[in-house]
Amino acid sequence: MRVVKTIDEVRKQVREWRAQGLTVGLVPTMGYLHEGHASLIDASHKDNDRTVVSDFVNPMQFGPTEDLESYPRDIDRDAQLVEEHGGDLIFNPEPSEMYHEGFSSFVDMTVLTQELCGLSRPVHFRGVCTVVSKLFNIVKPDRAYFGKKDAQQLAVIRHMVDDLNMDIEIIGCPIIREADGLAKSSRNTYLNPDERKAALVLSRSIALGKDMVKNGEKSCETIIGEMKKLISAEPLARIDYVKIVDCATMQQITKLDRPALCAIAVYIGKTRLIDNFFSEDV
Ligand code: PAF
């Protein structure tokens, strides 16, 4: 397992693998890897001959008041996890390697990004689409792996790949949770012990919403109302959004009469966490 910093090194390695007829999977990450990322690497290792993990905190997808500077980074720890899970190459570029002086081309999307995280984080998906396109062009993988915790991101990337005729299979992998239910996230490391306890309102509200759907509740307002009530009872929690959207359009719906995504974003102290469930999965 090698860690490389330059685009040329990645291309040279992937060209060698291709010359041997090997398939390549890509797991794009921002590093500080946890079991959620490990499950993506495992899936890629199972499906492909070689796996590349990109480890890059992408400045372009952070807003001016967000946590770009404090986002946790530890490449040695990441390298160990990637090796343990059968990854073959880590691409860990500096921002200047990805965005040279004068960089001025962007990939943006006019649908799917107007709701949920796209609404709360206006520059986010332009940054994600741009960096993921660049990673796809650098690695040219057969398959790329993304977590369903970022459900809107997964939908946006699938749409981009379709719109721009990128010849890459996009694989969505299930949310991985801590034993007590909290969805794994690199940002969980920001939480102090009281906040860590408080953060359980996210998974508890998801469980409540799922139960309501399972029991036949069709009114989105009722489901959202109960979930919000549960979250608001936690003093350290501040709701960014609790919404139910059509899976295909990411637009809000009022009635559960089609495949839907229930997505939440909640601040616990200063830390913004997300979680979700799909109506089809309950
Ligand atoms: O999900 C993430 O970690 C990031 O948004 C991604 C896809 C690696 C792009 O920077």
Side-chain angles (χ1 to χ4, degrees):
M1 210 286 299
R2 286 202 305 143
V3 181
V4 300
K5 307 286 286 179
T6 67
I7 294 166
D8 283 349
E9 287 169 295
V10 178
R11 288 200 159 135
K12 185 163 175 286
Q13 177 63 86
V14 173
R15 264 200 299 268
E16 279 174 26
W17 288 337
R18 292 290 184 201
Q20 296 166 43
L22 302 175
T23 57
V24 178
L26 170 66
V27 180
T29 82
M30 296 209 299
Y32 215 74
L33 306 179
H34 50 68
E35 287 88 335
H37 299 110
S39 74
L40 307 181
I41 301 168
D42 289 341
S44 174
H45 184 52
K46 187 165 143 279
D47 297 346
N48 304 280
D49 299 314
R50 296 288 182 270
T51 291
V52 179
V53 178
S54 63
D55 188 316
F56 177 59
V57 183
N58 173 34
M60 199 188 284
Q61 68 188 73
F62 288 78
T65 59
E66 293 183 351
D67 56 342
L68 173 62
E69 295 309 324
S70 56
Y71 198 87
R73 294 157 168 91
D74 188 340
I75 188 64
D76 294 335
R77 183 178 163 279
D78 290 351
Q80 199 179 327
L81 183 141
V82 171
E83 177 129 51
E84 280 166 13
H85 288 268
D88 300 282
L89 186 73
I90 298 184
F91 176 42
N92 177 225
E94 293 301 322
S96 57
E97 178 71 4
M98 291 298 276
Y99 301 113
H100 57 72
E101 220 185 299
F103 182 91
S104 53
S105 304
F106 303 91
V107 182
D108 212 345
M109 190 173 292
T110 53
V111 295
L112 303 185
T113 56
Q114 316 304 323
E115 267 292 353
L116 309 177
C117 290
L119 196 60
S120 312
R121 307 181 69 191
V123 299
H124 180 66
F125 284 115
R126 171 166 134 135
V128 169
C129 287
T130 301
V131 81
V132 170
S133 300
K134 285 172 68 68
L135 291 168
F136 285 176
N137 285 332
I138 293 163
V139 178
K140 299 203 186 82
D142 297 283
R143 300 178 189 83
Y145 297 78
F146 296 88
K148 289 187 181 172
K149 182 165 76 71
D150 294 299
Q152 186 178 19
Q153 169 172 281
L154 179 58
V156 164
I157 287 166
R158 283 191 198 285
H159 200 89
M160 174 185 83
V161 162
D162 188 41
D163 277 355
L164 300 182
N165 309 105
M166 295 169 162
D167 190 14
I168 296 168
E169 189 183 351
I170 302 300
I171 317 276
C173 298
I175 297 178
I176 304 293
R177 297 181 180 279
E178 303 284 353
D180 60 7
L182 180 65
K184 300 253 183 196
S185 165
S186 306
R187 290 190 168 97
N188 291 350
T189 53
Y190 296 150
L191 303 169
N192 67 32
D194 287 340
E195 292 171 341
R196 175 63 184 76
K197 266 187 231 146
L200 287 178
V201 285
L202 279 97
S203 51
R204 282 176 37 226
S205 73
I206 289 293
L208 172 67
K210 269 185 174 173
D211 271 351
M212 293 178 76
V213 174
K214 212 184 296 176
N215 292 332
E217 182 58 64
K218 296 277 180 224
S219 159
C220 296
E221 195 186 342
T222 308
I223 298 165
I224 290 168
E226 289 303 312
M227 290 173 70
K228 280 188 168 171
K229 208 190 294 171
L230 189 152
I231 299 167
S232 304
E234 168 51 60
L236 294 179
R238 181 168 56 84
I239 293 172
D240 178 1
Y241 63 74
V242 176
K243 285 182 182 169
I244 299 181
V245 297
D246 181 322
C247 280
T249 63
M250 294 284 142
Q251 291 298 314
Q252 288 191 72
I253 55 175
T254 54
K255 200 166 166 223
L256 275 184
D257 55 2
R258 69 198 93 173
L261 167 71
C262 175
I264 68 176
V266 178
Y267 286 92
I268 303 293
K270 288 194 173 121
T271 305
R272 185 177 177 279
L273 299 175
I274 57 174
D275 204 340
N276 68 65
F277 69 93
F278 287 89
S279 61
E280 304 292 278
D281 292 344
V282 302

